[in-house]
Amino acid sequence: MTAAHTLQATGLSLGYKDRTVISGFDLAVPPGRITAIVGANACGKSTLLRAMSRLLTPREGQVLLDGKQVHRTPAKELARTLGLLPQSPIAPEGITVGDLVGRGRNPHQRALSRWSREDDEAVAAALEATQTLDLTERAVDELSGGQRQRVWIAMALAQQTDVLLLDEPTTFLDVSHQVEVLDLLTDLNRARGTTIVMVLHDLNLAARYADHLVALADGRVHAAGEPGDVLTTDTVRAVFGLESQVITDPTSGRPLMLPLGRHHVTAPAAPAVPAP
């Protein structure tokens, strides 16, 4: 099991040039749990993850990992505890899958240290877990979008951090691979206690896989807590401007959002009931 780490944002103000995206923002990530961040486009989800991973310096406030400011922590030291899979990462031209995934081990390399058996095992396990072992010798820029996304996830897994941030990890993946990736992250959380924070667009997948759900609106936390408390018709209306019905997913017992459009709606769905 990994060590329990605290990750929190206090009084954050974030933006780009003269545009403020997030203001007066506070968030505490439950250690050892899976947190999913949801919200409409341009509400600040990706901006928040960039700040929490040290890629974006706050205008005001701070991000604390175990009580230490991440923006004052040396990058390599931080990368041994906290990993990030950003949205639409770019691989060096011509790099092979094996070499890219191997770069996940860079934070663990010391001065003059050699590649170890532990590094080999970490890379192999990450490739196998993401079903990309057969792609090891392939160039990353020759792969499909879905294959590339699984390779980037493999690199994040090879880093073996106790805290893992992922911005849209299911991008470019078909439905079966979306479920496989989220199952994989759940396995990682349950087996190692890894704290996982991920941005997801799919509300229903977020509600199914997250222990803690955070809904953002206008750069602020509109609601946060267990999925059954957060994913409500009021929240969907306030955050997405969408009318919906929320029922209990017969498969998972979690809330399931049914959007109400102008067509193909015959009758209101039954309201959600708390899972036993």
Side-chain angles (χ1 to χ4, degrees):
M1 297 290 289
T2 65
H5 296 275
T6 59
L7 179 64
Q8 59 182 338
T10 59
L12 275 190
S13 177
L14 306 171
Y16 306 95
K17 295 184 179 179
D18 59 350
R19 183 170 67 94
T20 298
V21 179
I22 284 176
S23 179
F25 188 94
D26 297 309
L27 177 67
V29 174
R33 310 295 295 279
I34 297 177
T35 295
I37 301 174
V38 300
N41 290 339
C43 73
K45 302 185 299 295
S46 297
T47 298
L48 174 62
L49 241 61
R50 293 192 54 179
M52 294 179 75
S53 62
R54 197 179 177 271
L55 292 182
L56 179 65
T57 301
R59 293 175 173 177
E60 297 178 5
Q62 56 190 352
V63 178
L64 301 174
L65 177 64
D66 297 332
K68 297 173 58 177
Q69 292 191 42
V70 300
H71 294 85
R72 294 184 179 179
T73 303
K76 194 166 185 177
E77 176 184 336
L78 182 67
R80 286 194 286 270
T81 300
L82 187 149
L84 171 70
L85 175 63
Q87 195 176 72
S88 304
I90 300 175
E93 184 176 356
I95 192 170
T96 66
V97 168
D99 287 341
L100 181 65
V101 175
R103 292 194 175 194
R105 301 301 301 165
N106 286 351
H108 302 280
Q109 304 299 310
R110 307 289 184 177
L112 303 179
S113 65
R114 297 182 178 181
W115 188 265
S116 67
R117 179 179 177 181
E118 182 181 359
D119 295 322
D120 279 330
E121 290 174 349
V123 169
L127 290 167
E128 185 173 358
T130 53
Q131 299 182 15
T132 53
L133 191 59
D134 60 332
L135 303 176
T136 303
E137 302 301 325
R138 294 272 302 275
V140 174
D141 49 19
E142 295 176 356
L143 304 179
S144 69
Q147 289 173 322
R148 281 197 300 271
Q149 187 68 0
R150 284 189 284 142
V151 168
W152 282 110
I153 292 172
M155 189 188 79
L157 295 182
Q159 194 172 334
Q160 292 186 330
T161 57
D162 293 344
V163 181
L164 183 58
L165 312 182
L166 304 104
D167 194 355
E168 291 292 345
T170 57
T171 298
F172 303 120
L173 301 180
D174 57 35
V175 174
S176 64
H177 283 116
Q178 288 180 36
V179 172
E180 285 177 5
V181 165
L182 294 174
D183 279 344
L184 171 63
L185 294 175
T186 300
D187 290 340
L188 182 67
N189 169 259
R190 292 179 178 177
R192 299 189 66 240
T194 304
T195 298
I196 293 173
V197 183
M198 56 185 175
V199 168
L200 289 177
H201 271 303
D202 191 311
L203 283 176
N204 292 327
L205 286 177
R208 173 176 286 197
Y209 283 93
D211 304 304
H212 188 74
L213 196 60
V214 178
L216 300 190
D218 300 322
R220 297 181 183 274
V221 176
H222 176 81
E226 294 185 1
D229 296 328
V230 174
L231 186 52
T232 66
T233 55
D234 289 341
T235 296
V236 175
R237 184 184 302 115
V239 173
F240 295 95
L242 176 68
E243 295 300 323
S244 66
Q245 291 287 332
V246 177
I247 65 172
T248 298
D249 185 335
T251 301
S252 66
R254 298 291 188 93
L256 180 69
M257 191 276 293
L258 306 175
L260 299 180
R262 293 184 294 107
H263 301 287
H264 311 298
V265 178
T266 58
V273 296

